[in-house]
Amino acid sequence: MTINLQKGQRIDLTKGKADLSRIMVGLGWDPVGKTGGFSFFKSSGPDVDCDASVIMLQNDRFTDKKDLIYFGNKSSNNGSVVHSGDNLTGEGDGDDETIMLDLRNIPAQYNKLVFVVNIYDCERRKQDFGMIQNAYIRVVNPQTNEEIVRYNLSDNYSGQTSLITGEIYRHNDEWKFAAIGTGTTDPGLSAICNRYI
């Protein structure tokens, strides 16, 4: 049974679930005016290219560019965090981009994984998250395909160009998930990563 979180809420992912070592984090979004229906009902506005990324932190700090997992660096050093690749439009049902985590093999020095979605080339294209709807982050057990937790980002993010959607972090040898839902005006991944230096 899925647990739906609100902004700021947290949940244990692994406590009492000794068999849960691999999880899939799915992130999804839809362009405003491009959901469903016949093609002549759809907006002819420009595609908004959103990108999901993971920032791997050591003691809450971003210390090395190899710890940014995104479409240009799809795997962590030991393969414990793997990105599915880039979705250029966000159209279609279900997850737009996914990240697989092997929780048992994430090196001990990493205490937190921050999941962000940003709009590629947002300044030049003059795009922001007011052009996006139905954004969410969810955690799935890939062995059973069971959705464990979902957080729908329902705030008004107009004028924002990046979303810090959620965090998965260690606490007393267990992994937890926090629903963050913070929008920023960072123009790209470098600026987002600089928040954690």
Side-chain angles (χ1 to χ4, degrees):
M1 188 176 84
T2 301
I3 296 173
N4 287 294
L5 295 186
Q6 301 297 315
K7 186 172 184 172
Q9 291 184 315
R10 299 168 185 270
I11 185 176
D12 277 305
L13 290 176
T14 56
K15 193 170 185 178
K17 298 176 186 166
D19 59 332
L20 186 66
S21 61
R22 291 180 180 270
I23 59 173
M24 183 202 82
V25 177
L27 298 110
W29 53 82
D30 292 313
V32 170
K34 290 200 174 189
T35 54
F38 295 103
S39 60
F40 55 84
F41 287 126
K42 292 186 180 183
S43 160
S44 60
D47 286 331
V48 181
D49 181 7
C50 294
D51 295 317
S53 308
V54 186
I55 304 169
M56 301 177 68
L57 304 182
Q58 300 183 40
N59 295 317
D60 293 340
R61 297 276 179 228
F62 179 67
T63 61
D64 193 310
K65 65 181 180 182
K66 71 178 172 22
D67 294 335
L68 173 64
I69 312 304
Y70 69 112
F71 68 85
N73 178 36
K74 291 194 234 175
S75 177
S76 62
N77 268 4
N78 73 340
S80 58
V81 180
V82 178
H83 193 292
S84 64
D86 197 7
N87 176 326
L88 298 177
T89 65
E91 292 198 59
D93 293 332
D95 302 324
D96 289 298
E97 296 185 11
T98 59
I99 294 123
M100 298 297 293
L101 305 181
D102 183 352
L103 297 174
R104 288 188 185 148
N105 287 318
I106 293 174
Q109 67 263 33
Y110 297 102
N111 72 309
K112 187 180 289 183
L113 307 176
V114 180
F115 294 83
V116 301
V117 177
N118 69 293
I119 298 174
Y120 179 74
D121 205 11
C122 62
E123 290 185 322
R124 186 182 65 81
R125 296 181 180 188
K126 297 182 171 42
Q127 295 176 335
D128 64 58
F129 276 98
M131 304 167 82
I132 296 293
Q133 62 187 355
N134 306 324
Y136 67 84
I137 179 172
R138 69 187 191 123
V139 178
V140 175
N141 179 341
Q143 290 182 300
T144 63
N145 218 24
E146 172 199 7
E147 185 176 85
I148 301 166
V149 63
R150 173 181 284 258
Y151 168 43
N152 293 316
L153 287 88
S154 55
D155 287 0
N156 179 356
Y157 294 107
S158 289
Q160 310 293 297
T161 52
S162 300
L163 295 179
I164 301 169
T165 62
E167 297 174 348
I168 291 177
Y169 62 98
R170 292 184 207 257
H171 181 73
N172 295 335
D173 297 324
E174 300 289 352
W175 288 97
K176 295 178 179 258
F177 174 84
I180 305 298
T182 299
T184 80
T185 55
D186 293 324
L189 281 176
S190 296
I192 300 169
C193 290
N194 284 341
R195 291 175 172 269
Y196 300 98
I197 289 177

mmCIF file of all heavy atoms in Angstrom, residues 51 116-119 122 127-129 157 159-165 181-189 191-192 195:
data_model
loop_
_atom_site.group_PDB
_atom_site.id
_atom_site.type_symbol
_atom_site.label_atom_id
_atom_site.label_comp_id
_atom_site.label_asym_id
_atom_site.label_seq_id
_atom_site.Cartn_x
_atom_site.Cartn_y
_atom_site.Cartn_z
ATOM 1 N N ASP A 51 15.160 17.601 -16.330
ATOM 2 C CA ASP A 51 16.150 16.570 -16.062
ATOM 3 C C ASP A 51 16.164 16.231 -14.577
ATOM 4 O O ASP A 51 16.229 17.129 -13.735
ATOM 5 C CB ASP A 51 17.549 17.054 -16.470
ATOM 6 C CG ASP A 51 17.667 17.274 -17.967
ATOM 7 O OD1 ASP A 51 17.179 16.425 -18.735
ATOM 8 O OD2 ASP A 51 18.243 18.297 -18.367
ATOM 9 N N VAL A 116 16.819 16.008 -7.463
ATOM 10 C CA VAL A 116 16.429 17.310 -7.998
ATOM 11 C C VAL A 116 15.926 17.156 -9.436
ATOM 12 O O VAL A 116 16.303 16.213 -10.137
ATOM 13 C CB VAL A 116 17.594 18.333 -7.950
ATOM 14 C CG1 VAL A 116 18.079 18.544 -6.534
ATOM 15 C CG2 VAL A 116 18.746 17.904 -8.836
ATOM 16 N N VAL A 117 15.072 18.076 -9.833
ATOM 17 C CA VAL A 117 14.633 18.176 -11.225
ATOM 18 C C VAL A 117 14.859 19.624 -11.639
ATOM 19 O O VAL A 117 14.451 20.547 -10.935
ATOM 20 C CB VAL A 117 13.141 17.805 -11.391
ATOM 21 C CG1 VAL A 117 12.713 17.992 -12.850
ATOM 22 C CG2 VAL A 117 12.893 16.366 -10.943
ATOM 23 N N ASN A 118 15.551 19.804 -12.754
ATOM 24 C CA ASN A 118 15.764 21.163 -13.251
ATOM 25 C C ASN A 118 15.379 21.234 -14.717
ATOM 26 O O ASN A 118 15.264 20.209 -15.391
ATOM 27 C CB ASN A 118 17.219 21.618 -13.038
ATOM 28 C CG ASN A 118 18.195 20.865 -13.910
ATOM 29 O OD1 ASN A 118 18.399 19.662 -13.735
ATOM 30 N ND2 ASN A 118 18.805 21.554 -14.863
ATOM 31 N N ILE A 119 15.131 22.443 -15.197
ATOM 32 C CA ILE A 119 14.766 22.668 -16.594
ATOM 33 C C ILE A 119 16.041 22.985 -17.373
ATOM 34 O O ILE A 119 16.741 23.950 -17.071
ATOM 35 C CB ILE A 119 13.747 23.813 -16.738
ATOM 36 C CG1 ILE A 119 12.455 23.460 -15.997
ATOM 37 C CG2 ILE A 119 13.473 24.099 -18.210
ATOM 38 C CD1 ILE A 119 11.450 24.590 -15.961
ATOM 39 N N CYS A 122 17.096 26.657 -19.131
ATOM 40 C CA CYS A 122 15.897 27.419 -18.764
ATOM 41 C C CYS A 122 16.025 28.916 -19.042
ATOM 42 O O CYS A 122 15.045 29.554 -19.430
ATOM 43 C CB CYS A 122 15.551 27.192 -17.289
ATOM 44 S SG CYS A 122 16.849 27.740 -16.149
ATOM 45 N N GLN A 127 11.991 29.460 -19.621
ATOM 46 C CA GLN A 127 11.041 28.469 -19.121
ATOM 47 C C GLN A 127 11.154 28.334 -17.610
ATOM 48 O O GLN A 127 12.232 28.527 -17.038
ATOM 49 C CB GLN A 127 11.287 27.112 -19.793
ATOM 50 C CG GLN A 127 11.001 27.141 -21.290
ATOM 51 C CD GLN A 127 11.327 25.835 -21.980
ATOM 52 O OE1 GLN A 127 12.157 25.054 -21.518
ATOM 53 N NE2 GLN A 127 10.686 25.595 -23.122
ATOM 54 N N ASP A 128 10.041 27.990 -16.962
ATOM 55 C CA ASP A 128 10.040 27.751 -15.522
ATOM 56 C C ASP A 128 8.993 26.696 -15.188
ATOM 57 O O ASP A 128 8.279 26.218 -16.071
ATOM 58 C CB ASP A 128 9.809 29.053 -14.740
ATOM 59 C CG ASP A 128 8.448 29.661 -15.000
ATOM 60 O OD1 ASP A 128 7.432 28.984 -14.753
ATOM 61 O OD2 ASP A 128 8.392 30.822 -15.461
ATOM 62 N N PHE A 129 8.905 26.335 -13.913
ATOM 63 C CA PHE A 129 8.018 25.246 -13.515
ATOM 64 C C PHE A 129 6.543 25.640 -13.495
ATOM 65 O O PHE A 129 5.686 24.798 -13.213
ATOM 66 C CB PHE A 129 8.463 24.647 -12.179
ATOM 67 C CG PHE A 129 9.542 23.618 -12.350
ATOM 68 C CD1 PHE A 129 10.872 23.946 -12.156
ATOM 69 C CD2 PHE A 129 9.237 22.331 -12.751
ATOM 70 C CE1 PHE A 129 11.872 23.009 -12.346
ATOM 71 C CE2 PHE A 129 10.227 21.385 -12.952
ATOM 72 C CZ PHE A 129 11.545 21.718 -12.735
ATOM 73 N N TYR A 157 4.907 26.419 -8.422
ATOM 74 C CA TYR A 157 6.343 26.630 -8.646
ATOM 75 C C TYR A 157 6.606 27.582 -9.812
ATOM 76 O O TYR A 157 7.680 27.559 -10.401
ATOM 77 C CB TYR A 157 7.035 25.287 -8.885
ATOM 78 C CG TYR A 157 7.010 24.380 -7.665
ATOM 79 C CD1 TYR A 157 6.194 23.265 -7.618
ATOM 80 C CD2 TYR A 157 7.792 24.666 -6.548
ATOM 81 C CE1 TYR A 157 6.170 22.443 -6.503
ATOM 82 C CE2 TYR A 157 7.777 23.855 -5.430
ATOM 83 C CZ TYR A 157 6.959 22.746 -5.413
ATOM 84 O OH TYR A 157 6.926 21.930 -4.312
ATOM 85 N N GLY A 159 7.895 30.545 -11.868
ATOM 86 C CA GLY A 159 9.085 31.356 -11.662
ATOM 87 C C GLY A 159 10.279 30.574 -11.152
ATOM 88 O O GLY A 159 11.399 31.079 -11.152
ATOM 89 N N GLN A 160 10.056 29.319 -10.728
ATOM 90 C CA GLN A 160 11.153 28.473 -10.237
ATOM 91 C C GLN A 160 11.707 27.654 -11.400
ATOM 92 O O GLN A 160 10.957 27.220 -12.284
ATOM 93 C CB GLN A 160 10.655 27.535 -9.132
ATOM 94 C CG GLN A 160 9.880 28.226 -8.021
ATOM 95 C CD GLN A 160 10.756 29.165 -7.206
ATOM 96 O OE1 GLN A 160 11.698 28.752 -6.553
ATOM 97 N NE2 GLN A 160 10.437 30.444 -7.267
ATOM 98 N N THR A 161 13.005 27.428 -11.399
ATOM 99 C CA THR A 161 13.636 26.691 -12.495
ATOM 100 C C THR A 161 14.245 25.368 -12.058
ATOM 101 O O THR A 161 14.698 24.591 -12.890
ATOM 102 C CB THR A 161 14.715 27.560 -13.154
ATOM 103 O OG1 THR A 161 15.596 28.050 -12.141
ATOM 104 C CG2 THR A 161 14.087 28.735 -13.892
ATOM 105 N N SER A 162 14.251 25.117 -10.756
ATOM 106 C CA SER A 162 14.740 23.845 -10.217
ATOM 107 C C SER A 162 13.875 23.441 -9.038
ATOM 108 O O SER A 162 13.372 24.300 -8.312
ATOM 109 C CB SER A 162 16.198 23.972 -9.745
ATOM 110 O OG SER A 162 17.039 24.345 -10.806
ATOM 111 N N LEU A 163 13.715 22.127 -8.860
ATOM 112 C CA LEU A 163 12.965 21.596 -7.722
ATOM 113 C C LEU A 163 13.829 20.608 -6.966
ATOM 114 O O LEU A 163 14.356 19.658 -7.558
ATOM 115 C CB LEU A 163 11.702 20.863 -8.184
ATOM 116 C CG LEU A 163 10.595 21.645 -8.870
ATOM 117 C CD1 LEU A 163 9.462 20.696 -9.247
ATOM 118 C CD2 LEU A 163 10.084 22.739 -7.956
ATOM 119 N N ILE A 164 13.978 20.826 -5.677
ATOM 120 C CA ILE A 164 14.579 19.823 -4.800
ATOM 121 C C ILE A 164 13.398 18.985 -4.319
ATOM 122 O O ILE A 164 12.606 19.431 -3.484
ATOM 123 C CB ILE A 164 15.351 20.482 -3.643
ATOM 124 C CG1 ILE A 164 16.451 21.380 -4.216
ATOM 125 C CG2 ILE A 164 15.933 19.415 -2.726
ATOM 126 C CD1 ILE A 164 17.111 22.292 -3.193
ATOM 127 N N THR A 165 13.215 17.801 -4.895
ATOM 128 C CA THR A 165 11.985 17.037 -4.693
ATOM 129 C C THR A 165 11.983 16.242 -3.396
ATOM 130 O O THR A 165 10.989 16.225 -2.671
ATOM 131 C CB THR A 165 11.743 16.081 -5.869
ATOM 132 O OG1 THR A 165 12.822 15.150 -5.956
ATOM 133 C CG2 THR A 165 11.622 16.845 -7.178
ATOM 134 N N GLY A 181 10.311 19.244 -1.646
ATOM 135 C CA GLY A 181 9.439 20.124 -2.424
ATOM 136 C C GLY A 181 9.816 21.592 -2.410
ATOM 137 O O GLY A 181 8.957 22.463 -2.404
ATOM 138 N N THR A 182 11.123 21.874 -2.448
ATOM 139 C CA THR A 182 11.601 23.261 -2.455
ATOM 140 C C THR A 182 11.937 23.688 -3.881
ATOM 141 O O THR A 182 12.704 23.012 -4.572
ATOM 142 C CB THR A 182 12.860 23.400 -1.575
ATOM 143 O OG1 THR A 182 12.530 23.050 -0.238
ATOM 144 C CG2 THR A 182 13.394 24.828 -1.611
ATOM 145 N N GLY A 183 11.367 24.795 -4.322
ATOM 146 C CA GLY A 183 11.700 25.351 -5.626
ATOM 147 C C GLY A 183 12.806 26.380 -5.500
ATOM 148 O O GLY A 183 12.921 27.057 -4.474
ATOM 149 N N THR A 184 13.657 26.483 -6.524
ATOM 150 C CA THR A 184 14.727 27.482 -6.534
ATOM 151 C C THR A 184 14.774 28.146 -7.911
ATOM 152 O O THR A 184 14.165 27.665 -8.862
ATOM 153 C CB THR A 184 16.115 26.851 -6.247
ATOM 154 O OG1 THR A 184 16.612 26.252 -7.454
ATOM 155 C CG2 THR A 184 16.048 25.811 -5.152
ATOM 156 N N THR A 185 15.527 29.215 -8.000
ATOM 157 C CA THR A 185 15.741 29.869 -9.300
ATOM 158 C C THR A 185 17.129 29.549 -9.844
ATOM 159 O O THR A 185 17.634 30.256 -10.719
ATOM 160 C CB THR A 185 15.570 31.392 -9.167
ATOM 161 O OG1 THR A 185 16.445 31.872 -8.144
ATOM 162 C CG2 THR A 185 14.136 31.759 -8.816
ATOM 163 N N ASP A 186 17.734 28.469 -9.355
ATOM 164 C CA ASP A 186 19.046 28.073 -9.871
ATOM 165 C C ASP A 186 18.934 27.766 -11.362
ATOM 166 O O ASP A 186 18.034 27.041 -11.787
ATOM 167 C CB ASP A 186 19.555 26.830 -9.125
ATOM 168 C CG ASP A 186 19.851 27.127 -7.667
ATOM 169 O OD1 ASP A 186 20.330 28.243 -7.379
ATOM 170 O OD2 ASP A 186 19.601 26.259 -6.814
ATOM 171 N N PRO A 187 19.846 28.303 -12.187
ATOM 172 C CA PRO A 187 19.738 28.129 -13.629
ATOM 173 C C PRO A 187 20.200 26.771 -14.134
ATOM 174 O O PRO A 187 19.962 26.428 -15.288
ATOM 175 C CB PRO A 187 20.628 29.241 -14.187
ATOM 176 C CG PRO A 187 21.638 29.472 -13.116
ATOM 177 C CD PRO A 187 20.929 29.226 -11.818
ATOM 178 N N GLY A 188 20.868 26.000 -13.292
ATOM 179 C CA GLY A 188 21.370 24.709 -13.751
ATOM 180 C C GLY A 188 21.923 23.887 -12.609
ATOM 181 O O GLY A 188 21.903 24.296 -11.445
ATOM 182 N N LEU A 189 22.457 22.712 -12.960
ATOM 183 C CA LEU A 189 22.932 21.767 -11.953
ATOM 184 C C LEU A 189 24.104 22.309 -11.136
ATOM 185 O O LEU A 189 24.199 22.036 -9.945
ATOM 186 C CB LEU A 189 23.342 20.449 -12.629
ATOM 187 C CG LEU A 189 22.187 19.509 -12.989
ATOM 188 C CD1 LEU A 189 22.725 18.300 -13.740
ATOM 189 C CD2 LEU A 189 21.439 19.079 -11.746
ATOM 190 N N ALA A 191 24.725 25.302 -10.120
ATOM 191 C CA ALA A 191 24.241 26.195 -9.076
ATOM 192 C C ALA A 191 23.539 25.422 -7.960
ATOM 193 O O ALA A 191 23.677 25.748 -6.784
ATOM 194 C CB ALA A 191 23.293 27.223 -9.674
ATOM 195 N N ILE A 192 22.802 24.356 -8.334
ATOM 196 C CA ILE A 192 22.146 23.540 -7.317
ATOM 197 C C ILE A 192 23.205 22.848 -6.453
ATOM 198 O O ILE A 192 23.115 22.858 -5.215
ATOM 199 C CB ILE A 192 21.218 22.495 -7.961
ATOM 200 C CG1 ILE A 192 20.145 23.162 -8.800
ATOM 201 C CG2 ILE A 192 20.562 21.619 -6.889
ATOM 202 C CD1 ILE A 192 19.369 22.206 -9.679
ATOM 203 N N ARG A 195 24.852 24.713 -3.601
ATOM 204 C CA ARG A 195 24.117 24.849 -2.338
ATOM 205 C C ARG A 195 24.627 23.899 -1.266
ATOM 206 O O ARG A 195 24.409 24.104 -0.080
ATOM 207 C CB ARG A 195 22.627 24.558 -2.555
ATOM 208 C CG ARG A 195 21.907 25.598 -3.375
ATOM 209 C CD ARG A 195 20.465 25.196 -3.665
ATOM 210 N NE ARG A 195 19.772 26.317 -4.285
ATOM 211 C CZ ARG A 195 19.094 27.246 -3.611
ATOM 212 N NH1 ARG A 195 18.999 27.150 -2.300
ATOM 213 N NH2 ARG A 195 18.522 28.244 -4.254
#
